Amino acid sequence: MTSQSREIIAPVTGVGMDATLTRGGDEAGPHYDKVFGFLREQLLSGALKSGDRLLPERELALRLGVSRPVVREVLRALSAIGVVEIRHGFGSIVRKPDFSEMGDVFTLMLAQQHDAVEDILEARIAIERQAIRLACQRSTAADITLLRSRLAELKATLHDPVAGAEADFAFHEAIIAAAHAPMLESLHAAIAALLRRSHYERRVRITALPELENYLADHHSQLLTAILDRDEAAADALLLSHFAIGATFERQAPLG
């Protein structure tokens, strides 16, 4: 049986069925938590992998000692966040991770958090600093072509807060792609919705500043040049300067 049709919910290798499915006993908590916790452990341990098919709801409920509606509720929750896919008439399949789908989840979770957009900038800096260093090492001709195209779009939309913010985001997204680092891409994709909002809000605040054109056009051009030169130290220094200058412009921007 291939991994695409492999039915998994067996106990962890080397552990008896009863021990795996009933451990925790009285302290296991509500049945929902019991089912969710068990599936979470199976996913984290690697016992469940992308493409695996879970046992039918009835059998899973029997093995875990809970009702089918509880199992169904957990599976729907996992489906909502993109962990499993429920195929009617076939069963539930573990999905290949798609972190871009987590953007809305993060946005909703952080929407009520004070200064969420400002805080996300710290994560962005950490991701992009590593990405631009890797881009200096790994970028291909296709990556450079994309970066040039994104830079041209950025220069063409300097005074348009909406289109300009999207072009700015797209340029930095192309740097992430040029790193050829799947985990960095996944992390970036997971916070992309908040990053887009951050780009837009910053652009709205600084669009009227006379220094904007030099900052956006020239500095992004310098970032691309550093990647072309394979100069990791220069690229990293320019990126830090890029964020510092942007923060300075925000402080100078008129209120309201």
Side-chain angles (χ1 to χ4, degrees), residues 236-249:
D236 185 51
L238 280 166
L239 191 66
L240 284 176
S241 174
H242 182 75
F243 287 114
I245 294 172
T248 298
F249 281 172

Side-chain angles (χ1 to χ4, degrees), residues 6 8 10 16 27 30-31 43 60 71 111 129 147 149 156 161 187-188 194 200 218 239 243:
R6 192 164 63 106
I8 294 287
E27 69 271 14
H31 287 175
L43 289 161
L60 182 54
V71 171
R129 286 189 70 185
L147 280 164
S149 173
L187 292 172
H188 186 263
L194 284 172
Y200 172 73
D218 294 348
L239 191 66
F243 287 114

Side-chain angles (χ1 to χ4, degrees), residues 208-230:
L209 294 176
E211 306 94 335
L212 177 71
E213 187 164 341
N214 286 338
Y215 165 63
L216 289 175
D218 294 348
H219 218 268
H220 284 87
S221 295
Q222 290 176 45
L223 289 171
L224 177 54
T225 298
I227 294 173
L228 284 168
D229 291 343
R230 308 289 183 182

Side-chain angles (χ1 to χ4, degrees), residues 1-3 5-12 38-39 42-43 45-56 60 63 92 94:
M1 186 174 296
T2 66
S3 61
S5 61
R6 192 164 63 106
E7 280 194 347
I8 294 287
I9 206 61
V12 177
F38 175 74
L39 290 175
Q42 295 287 294
L43 289 161
S45 69
L48 277 172
K49 298 180 177 64
S50 175
D52 288 343
R53 180 169 62 175
L54 277 65
L55 292 180
L60 182 54
R63 292 194 181 196
S92 297
V94 178

Side-chain angles (χ1 to χ4, degrees), residues 74-88:
V74 172
L75 293 177
R76 285 174 178 169
L78 292 175
S79 174
I81 61 175
V83 175
V84 302
E85 177 185 354
I86 300 174
R87 299 180 184 176
H88 296 292

